[in-house]
Amino acid sequence: MIKRTLIPLAVAACTTLLSLSAHADTYRLTHNTSDATSWQKGAEKFNELLKQASDGDIGVRIFPNAVLSGGDQMKQAEMVGRGDIDFVITSAINVTPLIPEMAVFSLPYLFSNYAQVDNAIQGAPGDAVKEIARDNGIEILAWGENGFRELTNSVKPVSSPADLRGMKIRVAGPMYIDVFDALGANPQQIQWTETFSALQQGVVDGQENPVGSIIVPQRLYEVQKYLTEWHYSYDPIFIGVSEKRWNGWDAKTQALVAKAAQEAMAYQRDLARDQTRSGVETLKQHGMTVTTLDATQLEAFKQATSEVYDQWAARVGEDLVTQFEQAVKDTASQ
Protein backbone atom coordinates (compact mmCIF):
# COMPACT_ATOMS: atom_id res chain seq x y z
CA MET A 1 0.00 0.00 0.00
CA ILE A 2 2.85 2.41 0.87
CA LYS A 3 4.66 1.71 -2.38
CA ARG A 4 1.47 2.26 -4.36
CA THR A 5 1.01 5.64 -2.64
CA LEU A 6 4.60 6.79 -3.15
CA ILE A 7 4.71 6.06 -6.86
CA PRO A 8 1.94 8.53 -7.81
CA LEU A 9 3.49 11.14 -5.52
CA ALA A 10 6.88 10.71 -7.17
CA VAL A 11 5.34 10.96 -10.62
CA ALA A 12 3.48 14.11 -9.62
CA ALA A 13 6.66 15.67 -8.24
CA CYS A 14 8.61 14.93 -11.41
CA THR A 15 5.78 16.29 -13.55
CA THR A 16 5.78 19.52 -11.51
CA LEU A 17 9.56 19.93 -11.86
CA LEU A 18 9.41 19.28 -15.58
CA SER A 19 6.59 21.78 -15.93
CA LEU A 20 8.55 24.44 -14.04
CA SER A 21 11.66 23.70 -16.10
CA ALA A 22 9.70 23.95 -19.33
CA HIS A 23 8.14 27.23 -18.23
CA ALA A 24 11.46 28.88 -17.38
CA ASP A 25 12.93 30.80 -20.32
CA THR A 26 16.65 31.50 -20.57
CA TYR A 27 17.64 33.85 -23.37
CA ARG A 28 21.06 34.54 -24.84
CA LEU A 29 22.73 37.91 -24.25
CA THR A 30 25.92 38.92 -26.05
CA HIS A 31 28.27 41.81 -25.32
CA ASN A 32 31.65 43.10 -26.54
CA THR A 33 33.97 43.04 -23.56
CA SER A 34 35.45 40.69 -20.99
CA ASP A 35 33.75 39.61 -17.77
CA ALA A 36 35.82 42.16 -15.80
CA THR A 37 33.97 45.24 -17.08
CA SER A 38 30.91 47.27 -16.09
CA TRP A 39 29.26 45.88 -19.24
CA GLN A 40 29.38 42.41 -17.68
CA LYS A 41 28.21 43.77 -14.31
CA GLY A 42 25.26 45.42 -16.03
CA ALA A 43 24.41 42.14 -17.79
CA GLU A 44 24.59 40.26 -14.49
CA LYS A 45 22.33 42.82 -12.82
CA PHE A 46 19.86 42.50 -15.70
CA ASN A 47 19.76 38.73 -15.24
CA GLU A 48 19.33 39.10 -11.48
CA LEU A 49 16.46 41.57 -11.86
CA LEU A 50 14.74 39.47 -14.53
CA LYS A 51 14.78 36.41 -12.29
CA GLN A 52 13.52 38.34 -9.28
CA ALA A 53 10.67 39.98 -11.18
CA SER A 54 9.59 36.76 -12.92
CA ASP A 55 9.98 34.43 -9.93
CA GLY A 56 12.73 32.62 -11.80
CA ASP A 57 10.77 32.16 -15.02
CA ILE A 58 12.96 34.49 -17.14
CA GLY A 59 16.73 34.89 -17.21
CA VAL A 60 19.65 35.40 -19.56
CA ARG A 61 22.82 33.47 -20.25
CA ILE A 62 25.64 35.96 -20.76
CA PHE A 63 28.23 35.58 -23.53
CA PRO A 64 31.10 38.13 -23.21
CA ASN A 65 33.76 38.98 -25.80
CA ALA A 66 31.26 38.75 -28.67
CA VAL A 67 31.73 34.98 -28.80
CA LEU A 68 28.31 34.41 -30.39
CA SER A 69 29.39 36.44 -33.40
CA GLY A 70 32.86 34.90 -33.65
CA GLY A 71 34.47 37.86 -31.88
CA ASP A 72 33.05 40.35 -34.40
CA GLN A 73 31.49 43.08 -32.26
CA MET A 74 29.92 44.78 -35.29
CA LYS A 75 27.90 41.68 -36.23
CA GLN A 76 26.19 41.34 -32.86
CA ALA A 77 23.56 43.99 -33.56
CA GLU A 78 22.91 42.55 -37.03
CA MET A 79 22.32 39.11 -35.48
CA VAL A 80 19.94 40.55 -32.91
CA GLY A 81 18.15 42.49 -35.66
CA ARG A 82 17.62 39.21 -37.54
CA GLY A 83 16.48 37.42 -34.39
CA ASP A 84 19.51 35.07 -34.27
CA ILE A 85 20.44 36.35 -30.78
CA ASP A 86 17.94 37.53 -28.17
CA PHE A 87 19.71 40.38 -26.34
CA VAL A 88 22.77 42.54 -26.92
CA ILE A 89 24.68 45.02 -24.82
CA THR A 90 26.82 47.01 -27.19
CA SER A 91 28.04 50.54 -27.78
CA ALA A 92 26.42 52.90 -30.23
CA ILE A 93 29.56 53.28 -32.35
CA ASN A 94 29.65 49.51 -32.95
CA VAL A 95 26.19 49.66 -34.52
CA THR A 96 26.94 52.39 -37.08
CA PRO A 97 27.55 49.95 -39.97
CA LEU A 98 23.94 48.78 -39.49
CA ILE A 99 22.45 52.08 -38.26
CA PRO A 100 24.54 55.10 -39.39
CA GLU A 101 22.44 57.42 -37.24
CA MET A 102 24.02 55.85 -34.14
CA ALA A 103 27.12 57.95 -34.89
CA VAL A 104 25.28 61.01 -33.61
CA PHE A 105 26.30 60.26 -30.01
CA SER A 106 29.99 60.16 -30.85
CA LEU A 107 30.39 63.23 -33.06
CA PRO A 108 33.71 64.82 -32.04
CA TYR A 109 33.32 67.29 -29.19
CA LEU A 110 29.51 67.29 -29.26
CA PHE A 111 29.40 66.73 -25.48
CA SER A 112 31.68 68.11 -22.80
CA ASN A 113 30.06 66.84 -19.58
CA TYR A 114 27.66 64.27 -18.14
CA ALA A 115 24.79 66.74 -17.71
CA GLN A 116 24.72 67.35 -21.47
CA VAL A 117 24.96 63.62 -22.14
CA ASP A 118 22.05 62.75 -19.85
CA ASN A 119 19.83 65.55 -21.13
CA ALA A 120 20.22 64.32 -24.69
CA ILE A 121 20.41 60.55 -24.38
CA GLN A 122 17.82 60.02 -21.66
CA GLY A 123 15.47 62.52 -23.33
CA ALA A 124 13.74 63.04 -26.66
CA PRO A 125 16.88 62.79 -28.86
CA GLY A 126 17.68 59.36 -27.41
CA ASP A 127 14.07 58.30 -27.99
CA ALA A 128 14.38 59.35 -31.63
CA VAL A 129 17.32 56.96 -32.03
CA LYS A 130 15.26 54.18 -30.43
CA GLU A 131 12.68 54.62 -33.19
CA ILE A 132 15.38 54.30 -35.84
CA ALA A 133 16.77 51.15 -34.19
CA ARG A 134 13.26 49.67 -34.07
CA ASP A 135 13.06 49.98 -37.84
CA ASN A 136 16.22 47.85 -37.99
CA GLY A 137 14.82 45.03 -35.86
CA ILE A 138 16.22 46.11 -32.48
CA GLU A 139 14.16 47.29 -29.50
CA ILE A 140 16.44 49.45 -27.35
CA LEU A 141 15.29 48.92 -23.78
CA ALA A 142 17.66 51.25 -21.92
CA TRP A 143 20.80 53.35 -22.33
CA GLY A 144 23.92 52.66 -20.30
CA GLU A 145 27.41 54.10 -20.51
CA ASN A 146 30.69 53.27 -22.12
CA GLY A 147 31.84 56.85 -21.48
CA PHE A 148 34.03 59.64 -22.78
CA ARG A 149 36.73 58.12 -24.94
CA GLU A 150 40.31 59.00 -23.99
CA LEU A 151 43.54 58.33 -25.85
CA THR A 152 46.33 55.97 -24.79
CA ASN A 153 49.58 55.19 -26.55
CA SER A 154 53.03 53.72 -25.98
CA VAL A 155 55.06 56.38 -27.85
CA LYS A 156 54.85 59.81 -26.20
CA PRO A 157 52.54 62.28 -24.45
CA VAL A 158 49.94 63.78 -26.77
CA SER A 159 48.83 67.36 -26.19
CA SER A 160 48.35 68.66 -29.75
CA PRO A 161 47.24 67.27 -33.14
CA ALA A 162 50.88 67.42 -34.28
CA ASP A 163 51.80 64.85 -31.62
CA LEU A 164 49.55 62.29 -33.30
CA ARG A 165 51.09 62.62 -36.75
CA GLY A 166 51.91 59.15 -38.12
CA MET A 167 50.92 57.35 -34.90
CA LYS A 168 49.12 54.05 -35.47
CA ILE A 169 45.86 54.11 -33.50
CA ARG A 170 43.34 51.31 -33.15
CA VAL A 171 39.79 52.63 -33.61
CA ALA A 172 36.33 51.13 -33.16
CA GLY A 173 34.41 52.32 -36.19
CA PRO A 174 34.28 54.23 -39.49
CA MET A 175 33.72 57.71 -38.03
CA TYR A 176 36.81 57.39 -35.86
CA ILE A 177 38.86 56.50 -38.92
CA ASP A 178 37.92 59.88 -40.37
CA VAL A 179 38.63 61.67 -37.07
CA PHE A 180 42.14 60.26 -36.77
CA ASP A 181 42.86 60.81 -40.44
CA ALA A 182 42.03 64.48 -39.86
CA LEU A 183 44.44 64.53 -36.91
CA GLY A 184 47.27 63.12 -39.05
CA ALA A 185 47.34 59.70 -37.39
CA ASN A 186 47.21 56.28 -39.04
CA PRO A 187 43.94 54.72 -37.82
CA GLN A 188 43.45 50.96 -37.88
CA GLN A 189 40.04 49.34 -37.37
CA ILE A 190 40.68 46.20 -35.28
CA GLN A 191 38.23 43.98 -33.38
CA TRP A 192 38.34 44.68 -29.67
CA THR A 193 39.14 41.04 -28.86
CA GLU A 194 42.36 41.42 -30.89
CA THR A 195 43.37 44.86 -29.61
CA PHE A 196 45.39 43.97 -26.51
CA SER A 197 47.69 41.66 -28.48
CA ALA A 198 47.95 44.27 -31.28
CA LEU A 199 49.14 46.83 -28.71
CA GLN A 200 51.44 44.32 -27.06
CA GLN A 201 53.07 43.34 -30.35
CA GLY A 202 53.38 46.90 -31.65
CA VAL A 203 50.96 46.40 -34.53
CA VAL A 204 49.40 49.66 -33.32
CA ASP A 205 50.81 52.32 -30.99
CA GLY A 206 47.64 53.31 -29.23
CA GLN A 207 43.87 53.18 -28.91
CA GLU A 208 40.97 55.27 -27.61
CA ASN A 209 38.40 54.13 -25.05
CA PRO A 210 36.75 55.17 -21.78
CA VAL A 211 38.90 54.93 -18.66
CA GLY A 212 36.44 53.31 -16.26
CA SER A 213 34.62 50.96 -18.63
CA ILE A 214 37.57 49.70 -20.68
CA ILE A 215 41.08 51.04 -20.06
CA VAL A 216 41.36 50.09 -16.38
CA PRO A 217 39.42 46.78 -16.23
CA GLN A 218 41.04 45.55 -19.44
CA ARG A 219 44.46 46.37 -17.93
CA LEU A 220 45.69 48.42 -20.86
CA TYR A 221 48.27 50.00 -18.55
CA GLU A 222 50.26 46.81 -19.05
CA VAL A 223 50.87 47.71 -22.71
CA GLN A 224 50.36 51.50 -22.79
CA LYS A 225 52.45 54.27 -21.21
CA TYR A 226 50.58 57.52 -21.89
CA LEU A 227 47.00 58.70 -21.38
CA THR A 228 45.51 61.89 -22.81
CA GLU A 229 42.29 63.14 -21.24
CA TRP A 230 40.60 64.92 -24.12
CA HIS A 231 36.93 63.85 -23.90
CA TYR A 232 36.83 63.96 -27.69
CA SER A 233 33.92 61.59 -28.13
CA TYR A 234 31.19 60.07 -26.01
CA ASP A 235 29.89 56.54 -26.39
CA PRO A 236 26.74 55.14 -24.77
CA ILE A 237 25.91 51.47 -24.55
CA PHE A 238 22.44 49.97 -24.58
CA ILE A 239 20.52 46.80 -23.87
CA GLY A 240 18.65 45.82 -27.00
CA VAL A 241 16.36 42.89 -27.72
CA SER A 242 15.33 41.36 -31.02
CA GLU A 243 12.06 42.88 -32.27
CA LYS A 244 10.94 39.35 -33.13
CA ARG A 245 11.46 38.28 -29.52
CA TRP A 246 9.96 41.51 -28.14
CA ASN A 247 6.81 41.27 -30.25
CA GLY A 248 6.32 37.67 -29.15
CA TRP A 249 5.83 38.67 -25.51
CA ASP A 250 2.63 39.92 -23.93
CA ALA A 251 2.45 43.43 -22.46
CA LYS A 252 3.15 42.19 -18.92
CA THR A 253 6.35 40.44 -19.97
CA GLN A 254 7.47 43.43 -22.03
CA ALA A 255 6.99 45.72 -19.04
CA LEU A 256 8.91 43.36 -16.78
CA VAL A 257 11.85 43.09 -19.19
CA ALA A 258 11.95 46.83 -19.88
CA LYS A 259 11.94 47.70 -16.17
CA ALA A 260 14.76 45.23 -15.45
CA ALA A 261 16.79 46.70 -18.33
CA GLN A 262 16.29 50.28 -17.16
CA GLU A 263 17.33 49.46 -13.59
CA ALA A 264 20.32 47.41 -14.77
CA MET A 265 21.59 50.18 -17.03
CA ALA A 266 21.14 52.81 -14.31
CA TYR A 267 23.27 50.59 -12.09
CA GLN A 268 25.84 50.09 -14.85
CA ARG A 269 25.98 53.81 -15.65
CA ASP A 270 26.64 54.74 -12.00
CA LEU A 271 29.28 52.03 -11.77
CA ALA A 272 31.02 53.21 -14.96
CA ARG A 273 31.17 56.79 -13.69
CA ASP A 274 32.49 55.71 -10.30
CA GLN A 275 35.16 53.64 -12.03
CA THR A 276 36.08 56.59 -14.25
CA ARG A 277 36.47 58.92 -11.27
CA SER A 278 38.92 56.54 -9.59
CA GLY A 279 40.41 55.12 -12.78
CA VAL A 280 42.82 57.91 -13.70
CA GLU A 281 44.50 57.62 -10.31
CA THR A 282 44.70 53.85 -10.79
CA LEU A 283 46.47 54.36 -14.12
CA LYS A 284 48.95 56.73 -12.49
CA GLN A 285 49.65 54.14 -9.80
CA HIS A 286 50.44 51.65 -12.57
CA GLY A 287 52.99 54.03 -14.07
CA MET A 288 51.05 55.76 -16.83
CA THR A 289 51.78 59.41 -17.59
CA VAL A 290 48.52 61.39 -17.71
CA THR A 291 48.10 64.55 -19.81
CA THR A 292 44.93 66.58 -19.17
CA LEU A 293 44.24 69.12 -21.90
CA ASP A 294 43.28 72.70 -21.10
CA ALA A 295 40.66 74.73 -23.01
CA THR A 296 43.14 76.08 -25.57
CA GLN A 297 44.54 72.64 -26.32
CA LEU A 298 41.03 71.17 -26.62
CA GLU A 299 40.06 73.90 -29.05
CA ALA A 300 42.95 72.92 -31.34
CA PHE A 301 41.62 69.35 -31.54
CA LYS A 302 38.06 70.58 -31.99
CA GLN A 303 39.06 72.79 -34.92
CA ALA A 304 41.09 69.99 -36.50
CA THR A 305 38.06 67.66 -36.46
CA SER A 306 35.36 70.18 -37.36
CA GLU A 307 35.11 69.05 -40.99
CA VAL A 308 34.65 65.45 -39.86
CA TYR A 309 31.86 66.62 -37.56
CA ASP A 310 30.10 68.31 -40.47
CA GLN A 311 30.58 65.34 -42.81
CA TRP A 312 29.17 62.86 -40.32
CA ALA A 313 26.37 65.20 -39.26
CA ALA A 314 25.23 65.12 -42.89
CA ARG A 315 25.34 61.31 -42.92
CA VAL A 316 23.49 61.05 -39.63
CA GLY A 317 20.85 63.55 -40.69
CA GLU A 318 20.73 67.24 -39.90
CA ASP A 319 17.37 67.02 -38.11
CA LEU A 320 18.62 64.40 -35.66
CA VAL A 321 21.91 66.23 -35.06
CA THR A 322 20.00 69.44 -34.42
CA GLN A 323 17.96 67.69 -31.73
CA PHE A 324 21.14 66.64 -29.95
CA GLU A 325 22.79 70.03 -30.34
CA GLN A 326 19.68 71.72 -28.93
CA ALA A 327 19.69 69.37 -25.94
CA VAL A 328 23.32 70.37 -25.27
CA LYS A 329 22.40 74.06 -25.47
CA ASP A 330 19.37 73.56 -23.23
CA THR A 331 21.60 71.95 -20.61
CA ALA A 332 23.84 75.02 -20.56
CA SER A 333 20.85 77.25 -19.87
CA GLN A 334 19.31 75.12 -17.12
Side-chain angles (χ1 to χ4, degrees), residues 29 42-50 60 87 141 239 257 260-261 264:
L29 183 152
E44 291 170 353
K45 177 63 71 173
F46 181 50
N47 182 43
E48 174 189 324
L49 292 168
L50 281 176
V60 293
F87 290 95
L141 302 173
I239 291 183
V257 172

Side-chain angles (χ1 to χ4, degrees), residues 74-238:
M74 303 288 185
K75 285 185 179 179
Q76 292 176 112
E78 295 177 18
M79 294 177 72
V80 170
R82 294 197 304 264
D84 296 337
I85 303 175
D86 303 302
F87 290 95
V88 63
I89 295 180
T90 190
S91 68
I93 200 66
N94 289 141
V95 189
T96 54
L98 176 66
I99 308 173
E101 293 90 344
M102 281 282 188
V104 66
F105 302 103
S106 303
L107 290 169
Y109 297 104
L110 171 63
F111 299 114
S112 58
N113 57 57
Y114 288 135
Q116 294 172 352
V117 163
D118 293 342
N119 197 42
I121 295 178
Q122 304 300 333
D127 290 343
V129 177
K130 287 183 180 181
E131 287 290 340
I132 295 168
R134 195 170 290 126
D135 292 339
N136 286 272
I138 301 171
E139 181 72 26
I140 294 178
L141 302 173
W143 299 106
E145 178 158 291
N146 198 24
F148 282 103
R149 302 178 77 94
E150 316 291 17
L151 177 71
T152 69
N153 79 90
S154 58
V155 179
K156 62 182 178 180
V158 172
S159 59
S160 72
D163 293 329
L164 273 169
R165 192 166 295 128
M167 197 178 289
K168 294 175 292 183
I169 304 294
R170 178 268 175 186
V171 297
M175 189 190 72
Y176 293 143
I177 291 176
D178 292 345
V179 168
F180 279 89
D181 275 338
L183 293 171
N186 182 10
Q188 307 287 325
Q189 190 168 334
I190 299 173
Q191 293 295 334
W192 177 247
T193 51
E194 300 169 3
T195 297
F196 191 93
S197 60
L199 293 167
Q200 193 173 40
Q201 296 166 14
V203 175
V204 288
D205 302 310
Q207 61 83 53
E208 44 75 54
N209 257 305
V211 170
S213 297
I214 301 294
I215 294 173
V216 172
Q218 301 275 243
R219 304 172 68 90
L220 294 187
Y221 51 78
E222 294 181 355
V223 291
Q224 298 279 266
K225 175 64 177 174
Y226 304 98
L227 172 78
T228 299
E229 289 188 284
W230 61 346
H231 271 40
Y232 90 111
S233 182
Y234 179 82
D235 193 21
I237 64 173
F238 63 84

Side-chain angles (χ1 to χ4, degrees), residues 271-288:
L271 178 60
R273 291 181 184 181
D274 286 343
Q275 291 176 335
T276 295
R277 279 188 282 269
S278 62
V280 174
E281 187 58 36
T282 298
L283 296 178
K284 289 178 181 177
Q285 291 172 1
H286 284 281
M288 289 193 75

Side-chain angles (χ1 to χ4, degrees), residues 15-51:
T15 302
T16 300
L17 287 172
L18 287 171
S19 175
L20 288 171
S21 175
H23 186 61
D25 293 316
T26 301
Y27 300 103
R28 297 190 302 168
L29 183 152
T30 180
H31 72 80
N32 301 15
T33 65
S34 78
D35 58 7
T37 66
S38 64
W39 298 42
Q40 173 76 14
K41 303 303 180 188
E44 291 170 353
K45 177 63 71 173
F46 181 50
N47 182 43
E48 174 189 324
L49 292 168
L50 281 176
K51 288 183 175 179

